[in-house]
Amino acid sequence: MDELFECVFTPLSSSVTAKLKALCGKCNRYMLFLPYNPRRFYCNNCEETYNLPQCTIKLFKGIRCPFDDFEVVLCTQGEKSYTLCPYCYNHPPLPGMAVGDACNKCTNSRCKLSMAKTSWWACMECDIGTVYLDINSAPKWRLECNCCNFRIELSNMHKVERLKQTCDSCGAAVMRCSAHKNYPFADGSLVHEGCLICNQYLNVRTTQSHARNRRGGGGRGRGRGRGRGGRGRNMSKARREQAKLLRN
């Protein structure tokens, strides 16, 4: 039967010669990246395919998922980027995750790329997402929402880390921020630990913006509160207070 099909169709394993090859977590061999729509990885040894989002795909530092040992890839769409595991993207391993969820929605506390390790605060734009630290954004550090195009840019920072502690005043995660040696904080120091909202030295270095999508439009995602900086009609009072604190 295979021989009959090969007389008419080209085998999937030989249909593309791709430079992008990620390791399969099942057989520990390289998967082929198929750039056609829909984009996907194909493991010739396991004879399985793994769908991917329709964006630019790159390898990411050789990091492998602690759940299934698949190699993590970096996805970029316009100005927004995020990491994902090809297997978890198609087969969610944890309750609450859905097909198509990337690392920025993963609750695995063992993975340094997951939302559990990088989340900062609830999004004050879409009222449903979580703002997380994009660890791949250096040297132009930023935090992004995992549901909409809202982002917070941090200026003149050399290194940014999310700590386990939370702010006693607002509940946001505490950050350790190291400033560039040529741009110290107002008190002359180069390192500050605190809340991006409540800490006066960190707050002045934050700027709210919206990531541009592939078509070049800024702040026009599917969520609420886009366009001219509106907060969204159904935005809760608590989220409006969060946005007010961040702007001050």
Side-chain angles (χ1 to χ4, degrees), residues 5 45 76 89-90 112 120-121 127 162 167 177 195 229 246:
F5 272 98
N45 187 61
T76 305
Y89 184 81
N90 293 271
K112 65 180 181 180
W120 171 67
W121 212 19
D127 207 27
R162 197 211 75 164
C167 177
C177 300
C195 174
L246 189 59

Side-chain angles (χ1 to χ4, degrees), residues 43-101:
C43 180
N44 188 33
N45 187 61
C46 301
E47 295 185 343
E48 293 187 11
T49 59
Y50 302 94
N51 292 329
L52 298 168
Q54 305 307 303
C55 58
T56 303
I57 308 293
K58 297 180 181 179
L59 297 180
F60 186 70
K61 302 179 180 180
I63 297 177
R64 303 179 73 164
C65 177
F67 266 126
D68 45 54
D69 211 30
F70 275 70
E71 188 169 359
V72 174
V73 296
L74 178 68
C75 303
T76 305
Q77 186 171 11
E79 294 181 344
K80 195 175 182 68
S81 62
Y82 53 90
T83 57
L84 65 81
C85 164
Y87 187 85
C88 294
Y89 184 81
N90 293 271
H91 307 283
L94 292 172
M97 293 183 65
V99 174
D101 281 351

Side-chain angles (χ1 to χ4, degrees), residues 76-243:
T76 305
Q77 186 171 11
E79 294 181 344
K80 195 175 182 68
S81 62
Y82 53 90
T83 57
L84 65 81
C85 164
Y87 187 85
C88 294
Y89 184 81
N90 293 271
H91 307 283
L94 292 172
M97 293 183 65
V99 174
D101 281 351
C103 297
N104 57 20
K105 292 186 179 180
C106 177
T107 56
N108 180 17
S109 60
R110 296 182 299 163
C111 180
K112 65 180 181 180
L113 302 177
S114 69
M115 180 182 67
K117 290 290 187 180
T118 61
S119 62
W120 171 67
W121 212 19
C123 180
M124 61 282 297
E125 281 280 326
C126 66
D127 207 27
I128 57 173
T130 299
V131 178
Y132 67 97
L133 175 65
D134 183 358
I135 62 175
N136 192 51
S137 60
K140 297 180 179 180
W141 289 95
R142 62 179 180 267
L143 297 89
E144 296 186 339
C145 176
N146 59 7
C147 289
C148 71
N149 288 335
F150 176 75
R151 64 166 47 171
I152 298 173
E153 298 175 351
L154 305 175
S155 61
N156 299 321
M157 295 294 188
H158 174 67
K159 187 177 182 180
V160 180
E161 298 176 85
R162 197 211 75 164
L163 305 181
K164 294 181 179 180
Q165 303 93 321
T166 57
C167 177
D168 296 332
S169 300
C170 65
V174 173
M175 296 288 188
R176 178 188 289 122
C177 300
S178 302
H180 287 293
K181 60 181 181 180
N182 296 331
Y183 300 95
F185 292 106
D187 61 350
S189 63
L190 292 177
V191 180
H192 258 290
E193 291 185 6
C195 174
L196 295 180
I197 296 173
C198 303
N199 187 298
Q200 60 178 330
Y201 302 110
L202 300 180
N203 182 266
V204 296
R205 298 206 177 189
T206 62
T207 303
Q208 297 184 43
S209 63
H210 293 84
R212 292 181 182 272
N213 57 26
R214 181 173 293 181
R215 296 178 181 177
R220 296 181 62 85
R222 290 177 294 176
R224 295 162 290 178
R226 301 298 183 275
R228 301 177 181 175
R231 300 270 72 84
R233 290 178 297 176
N234 297 324
M235 189 177 186
S236 65
K237 181 179 179 181
R239 298 289 173 85
R240 286 194 293 270
E241 290 298 325
Q242 291 177 0

